[in-house]
Amino acid sequence: MHDFSHSSKFELPTIFVILGVTGDLVKKKILKALYHLYRKKRLPERFRVYGFSRRDYDDVKLRSYLRDIMLDNDYQDPELFDEFLASFYYVQGDFHIRTAYKNLAKTLGRIDGEWSICSNKLFYLAVPPASYSDIVTNLHESGLTKPCSPQEGWTRVILEKPFGTDLQTARDLDQQLGQLFQEEQIYRVDHYLGKETVKNILVFRFSNLFLTPSWNKNYIEKIEIRLLEKIGVEGRGEFYDKIGALRDVGQNHMLQLLGLFIMDQPYKFIPEDIKNKRSEALASLHVMSEQEVIKQTMRGQYEGYTKEEGVDPQSKTETYFHITARSELPDFVGVPLILESGKTQKCEKIEVEVTFKETPLCLYDIEGDQKNTFHYHIKPDEKISMKFFAKKPGFDTEIAEHELGFDYRKAYEKNLFIDDYESLLFDIIKGDQTLFVSTEEILNEWRFIEPIVQTWREMDKPKLKIYEKGKNART
Ligand code: BG6
């Protein structure tokens, strides 16, 4: 992958504006990622964070609020907290009021004046998507996202999924962003792409020649992607009930994983080529008719879901789904591509399993299937394992199933691992778009997902299955 970190713009002072600094995303992900980058000296030397929110805070209050989060969550090296937090400042403002942005622009302009430079500026929308439209308009209108000149600091805008709630709303958002910013200024986060194991998928597929000839419909019987979680909706009932499992994790994280497993080899290992190939893979998914949705999908809801806070007592929102998709990519025509996800499952299991076809000329008898599998474990295990067959020792030729494995956590020291958000933030500062989702990818994802959601909602078919917590809806 490109190393952008030596470019001179990486060394420019950088201002990181977080809209919604007192929200959940900062608390759970962004603060930790910034702190890790700080400890590892991976942030530009001159770096400031401006929190922008409605709460009546000031710099001191913001720092003490963040300090409490760091203490409560056992961040390492508490002796560094104050030094790190000294780079945090606060600007109070309502996201929907233009003058608040003028205030922010004045503050940032003053800092640039003090530094005698036009600094890099990064605007992270850590807010509910309903506010995106107003915020991006206000950022643009107030001139905050206008770079000073091509030679000076850049400005970038970062948005989190969900990007729209269907194809039309995704298109509307895309159109608005396209009118206000250049594509290279926009970073669309799907945090799964930042996970170490996910970053490895293309390396694994395209650096091991022995995989290449067999990675297609001639040898692969099916690919299964599972995102099974032990947790329920965890206090997010109101948000979750409006979207359901398929749009929460299927439209984004799982389709991104699928894309990485079936996409063709990029011409070069550069962001545009990688994203184009990912997008082609997503565009190749067969869009299902109503009848296919009824036959090839199932949906479930865990018992007690309708009693969760914020959830409609009559809700038919799915917390589980199982979908058999097909791709029209020549290499994968006819191969079932199975997506399965559920909340309140017995154990957490996020993985991709590739099953190869039965060995055609089976010279030796074995009980059961003689099929090789690749198991790509993403979470909580971070492993790749492969099922293969070998002769049992002894006079007879008996064969048995065995496993070859590679465990990331055992192979490398703990301090080498970086979190998903840490990796993504570092790439945003470097200007590497590889791990961010393009607008084409998002629209292709919606093209596939929308008819499924529509059939479920409008025809109420297939019937919603209520499943016990700790059990899979299909058992
Ligand atoms: C989020 C979903 O995008 O991804 C959550 O909104 C889900 O419902 C989460 O739990 C899973 O991500 P991770 O990184 O915890 O596996």
Side-chain angles (χ1 to χ4, degrees):
M1 240 161 261
H2 271 211
D3 182 7
F4 297 77
S5 55
H6 299 300
S7 85
S8 56
K9 282 199 182 179
F10 184 75
E11 303 305 332
L12 276 185
T14 299
I15 296 179
F16 190 165
V17 178
I18 308 181
L19 298 109
V21 71
T22 49
D24 233 31
L25 193 64
V26 171
K27 199 171 174 179
K28 290 191 179 144
K29 304 281 192 178
I30 300 176
L31 182 63
K32 187 182 270 169
L34 279 173
Y35 182 58
H36 283 171
L37 289 171
Y38 175 78
R39 279 174 64 230
K40 294 174 189 165
K41 303 198 186 325
R42 292 289 186 151
L43 292 176
E45 209 165 303
R46 265 187 290 171
F47 189 80
R48 275 198 189 189
V49 181
Y50 277 87
F52 183 60
S53 269
R54 208 168 17 185
R55 278 195 210 179
D56 185 17
Y57 273 18
D58 55 20
D59 300 344
V60 176
K61 231 172 166 177
L62 175 69
R63 289 173 196 163
S64 107
Y65 165 80
L66 297 173
R67 198 172 202 286
D68 287 346
I69 298 176
M70 297 170 82
L71 284 170
D72 291 348
N73 292 284
D74 297 326
Y75 284 25
Q76 288 170 2
D77 302 333
E79 67 284 1
L80 294 179
F81 289 3
D82 287 339
E83 192 184 285
F84 167 68
L85 290 171
S87 306
F88 282 72
Y89 298 82
Y90 190 74
V91 175
Q92 193 206 2
D94 186 323
F95 300 142
H96 306 287
I97 298 178
R98 183 95 25 108
T99 47
Y101 294 77
K102 293 228 167 93
N103 243 342
L104 180 63
K106 238 195 252 159
T107 309
L108 302 194
R110 190 170 42 77
I111 305 305
D112 276 2
E114 276 172 28
W115 285 344
S116 311
I117 200 154
C118 176
S119 59
N120 293 329
K121 293 179 191 70
L122 199 145
F123 299 88
Y124 205 126
L125 274 63
V127 297
S131 308
Y132 284 176
S133 179
D134 275 8
I135 293 180
V136 290
T137 309
N138 285 331
L139 282 173
H140 179 260
E141 298 287 310
S142 59
L144 273 162
T145 43
K146 189 165 172 263
C148 307
S149 77
Q151 287 72 38
E152 294 174 277
W154 44 249
T155 62
R156 293 179 183 148
V157 178
I158 305 145
L159 299 99
E160 286 274 335
K161 65 116 210 166
F163 307 104
T165 48
D166 57 20
L167 187 56
Q168 189 53 49
T169 48
R171 268 200 193 117
D172 294 345
L173 176 63
D174 174 50
Q175 208 175 14
Q176 191 186 14
L177 292 173
Q179 279 161 2
L180 305 179
F181 312 114
Q182 300 295 319
E183 181 61 20
E184 61 269 17
Q185 287 182 286
I186 311 168
Y187 286 71
R188 301 175 187 82
V189 174
D190 179 324
H191 76 279
Y192 262 59
L193 290 179
K195 290 188 189 292
E196 200 61 77
T197 39
V198 178
K199 289 192 289 183
N200 179 49
I201 295 172
L202 295 188
V203 178
F204 172 69
R205 282 194 52 203
F206 299 120
S207 312
N208 295 300
L209 190 63
F210 74 96
L211 288 176
T212 313
S214 54
W215 208 259
N216 55 52
K217 61 177 186 289
N218 299 330
Y219 296 94
I220 291 180
E221 183 178 277
K222 60 179 174 181
I223 299 182
E224 292 164 283
I225 301 194
R226 303 188 188 96
L227 197 158
L228 306 177
E229 298 181 288
K230 260 175 106 163
I231 53 170
V233 292
E234 307 279 289
R236 296 159 73 221
E238 203 183 325
F239 158 81
Y240 193 89
D241 201 38
K242 291 194 195 86
I243 61 163
L246 182 56
R247 288 188 283 183
D248 185 36
V249 297
Q251 178 267 334
N252 34 67
H253 310 327
M254 296 181 76
L255 286 185
Q256 286 294 330
L257 288 176
L258 177 60
L260 290 168
F261 270 81
I262 63 169
M263 68 185 245
D264 289 338
Q265 177 152 7
Y267 303 111
K268 284 196 195 146
F269 236 56
I270 55 172
E272 303 76 62
D273 283 4
I274 295 175
K275 289 164 75 151
N276 284 343
K277 289 291 171 194
R278 273 198 325 239
S279 181
E280 266 173 40
L282 295 166
S284 80
L285 293 177
H286 168 73
V287 176
M288 293 187 202
S289 65
E290 274 173 10
Q291 282 315 307
E292 285 168 325
V293 173
I294 295 168
K295 267 203 225 136
Q296 287 167 218
T297 73
M298 78 155 286
R299 57 192 179 127
Q301 184 186 80
Y302 65 80
E303 241 171 30
Y305 169 76
T306 49
K307 298 203 177 71
E308 298 272 13
E309 204 188 319
V311 170
D312 174 357
Q314 306 298 323
S315 176
K316 290 202 160 176
T317 298
E318 81 288 354
T319 59
Y320 171 94
F321 64 84
H322 185 283
I323 295 172
T324 305
R326 306 267 171 185
S327 158
E328 282 156 11
L329 280 181
D331 274 347
F332 283 94
V333 172
V335 178
L337 307 167
I338 296 161
L339 306 166
E340 182 187 26
S341 177
K343 295 264 187 210
T344 70
Q345 301 293 290
K346 192 165 171 211
C347 49
E348 185 180 35
K349 200 188 274 185
I350 299 167
E351 61 180 21
V352 181
E353 189 175 347
V354 180
T355 305
F356 289 86
K357 294 186 173 171
E358 187 105 28
T359 309
L361 268 176
C362 182
L363 298 177
Y364 307 104
D365 279 345
I366 183 169
E367 266 177 44
D369 293 338
Q370 200 173 126
K371 291 178 187 173
N372 296 119
T373 55
F374 258 116
H375 226 113
Y376 202 95
H377 307 258
I378 292 165
K379 210 178 142 196
D381 292 337
E382 291 167 297
K383 297 197 292 192
I384 303 173
S385 56
M386 185 191 162
K387 194 173 91 178
F388 72 105
F389 300 92
K391 180 189 167 303
K392 276 191 195 169
F395 296 109
D396 301 324
T397 307
E398 275 185 74
I399 65 170
E401 190 180 303
H402 288 279
E403 199 176 277
L404 277 174
F406 159 70
D407 186 328
Y408 250 110
R409 293 283 165 175
K410 286 192 184 139
Y412 293 103
E413 280 171 42
K414 197 168 167 227
N415 61 8
L416 289 175
F417 288 85
I418 55 174
D419 287 346
D420 35 24
Y421 273 83
E422 193 181 338
S423 169
L424 295 173
L425 282 179
F426 184 65
D427 282 1
I428 294 169
I429 301 169
K430 275 196 308 185
D432 184 345
Q433 282 261 9
T434 315
L435 302 179
F436 297 85
V437 189
S438 67
T439 181
E440 289 77 23
E441 286 173 90
I442 291 170
L443 298 181
N444 288 332
E445 289 170 351
W446 279 120
R447 263 182 216 111
F448 172 72
I449 294 294
E450 191 170 81
I452 305 177
V453 177
Q454 264 172 8
T455 307
W456 288 355
R457 301 246 153 155
E458 286 164 20
M459 297 186 67
D460 196 19
K461 280 181 181 170
K463 205 167 164 285
L464 183 75
K465 183 164 173 202
I466 305 298
Y467 62 93
E468 255 179 74
K469 283 187 183 171
K471 292 248 165 78
N472 186 289
R474 299 179 81 227
T475 51

